[in-house]
Amino acid sequence: MDEKNFYERYWQGSGRAAGFFEETPEWPEGLLKKKLEWIRSFLSGNWLDAGCGSGEFVNALSKHVRAFGIDISRTAVEKAKKKFPSVRFKQGSVTEIPFAKNFFDGIVAFEIIEHVLDTDAMFSEFNRVLKKGGFLCITTPQFTKLKAVLIAVSCLDKYFEPESPHIRYYTLGNLKKELSMHGFELMLYKPDGSFSPGFPKGMFVV
């Protein structure tokens, strides 16, 4: 099953694709405000929420910039349009972004890159649609040696569940390498939540 069909089933609430997730797809208010605060100093011009889901974050972005949202799922885009009719949404994949070259001043890709099969195409597309000097803001789970040990002894089967939507696992080092290969320079990193001191759950990079 391809990515589009997988996420169509997820947003339709059918099959294991939907049942795997414990949390609801909507953004909690506190998390939305935290992520918006992290990127506030970069906001101007046109911004894209890549993998916007049901639209909560791109709606928040629209209060500060000219914001657009894309999602691979038609169902997700339809839900987003109903909830936020004044926001611009399109159905589209991050590997074939339906916008012109150099259109955006910034892109947010929050909890997205670990779900994408063709990451080479994704990062190339991010580079194509961003203006020179534009900002790519990413959150994704962070893999570390300590985390790998904990997973191995406590939740190996659950973490590598075959129906999990996570198909990529990033360390800070290999994410930096991937970004550099596609013309990006890492300018900011911070842990995005933690299980315990020194044990980041995820990472936020610009």
Side-chain angles (χ1 to χ4, degrees):
M1 179 175 293
D2 63 24
E3 291 176 12
K4 183 176 179 180
N5 287 333
F6 182 92
Y7 285 102
E8 205 62 65
R9 292 178 65 193
Y10 165 57
W11 283 100
Q12 291 172 356
S14 62
R16 292 184 67 193
F20 182 85
F21 294 88
E22 295 178 1
E23 71 273 14
T24 60
E26 290 78 19
W27 280 68
E29 186 67 22
L31 183 61
L32 188 154
K33 288 181 178 178
K34 181 181 79 169
K35 295 293 195 293
L36 187 61
E37 188 60 35
W38 281 0
I39 67 171
R40 193 180 299 275
S41 62
F42 307 118
L43 294 178
S44 66
N46 296 329
W47 274 68
L48 175 68
D49 185 350
C52 65
S54 52
E56 285 82 9
F57 192 80
V58 67
N59 178 61
L61 271 180
S62 70
K63 308 297 192 298
H64 304 273
V65 292
R66 190 166 179 249
F68 301 79
I70 63 168
D71 200 278
I72 197 170
S73 167
R74 176 184 54 82
T75 300
V77 170
E78 288 176 352
K79 289 182 177 182
K81 286 180 176 179
K82 288 180 181 178
K83 291 176 70 174
F84 307 109
S86 64
V87 179
R88 306 166 185 86
F89 294 100
K90 287 186 178 183
Q91 183 182 2
S93 169
V94 294
T95 61
E96 295 182 74
I97 298 174
F99 288 92
K101 182 179 180 180
N102 302 328
F103 185 80
F104 291 106
D105 298 274
I107 296 173
V108 293
F110 288 161
E111 307 304 310
I112 294 299
I113 65 171
E114 66 273 16
H115 299 261
V116 177
L117 180 62
D118 191 348
T119 55
D120 182 61
M122 174 184 66
F123 285 115
S124 295
E125 278 292 271
F126 287 161
N127 196 319
R128 180 185 68 82
V129 300
L130 272 173
K131 297 176 183 177
K132 185 176 181 180
F135 300 100
L136 173 60
C137 304
I138 293 171
T139 64
T140 191
Q142 182 173 356
F143 215 75
T144 65
K145 291 180 180 179
L146 180 59
K147 189 173 183 178
V149 171
L150 182 63
I151 290 168
V153 300
S154 64
C155 56
L156 188 66
D157 286 344
K158 182 177 181 180
Y159 200 87
F160 293 103
E161 162 64 47
E163 289 293 323
S164 166
H166 288 189
I167 58 177
R168 301 289 182 191
Y169 299 94
Y170 288 94
T171 66
L172 178 58
N174 63 30
L175 179 56
K176 287 171 65 176
K177 181 179 179 181
E178 185 85 358
L179 290 168
S180 178
M181 288 172 59
H182 291 86
F184 293 100
E185 179 181 354
L186 185 68
M187 60 177 293
L188 176 65
Y189 159 82
K190 64 170 64 180
D192 184 15
S194 64
F195 295 113
S196 62
F199 187 14
K201 182 177 182 181
M203 53 182 157
F204 168 71
V205 302
V206 179

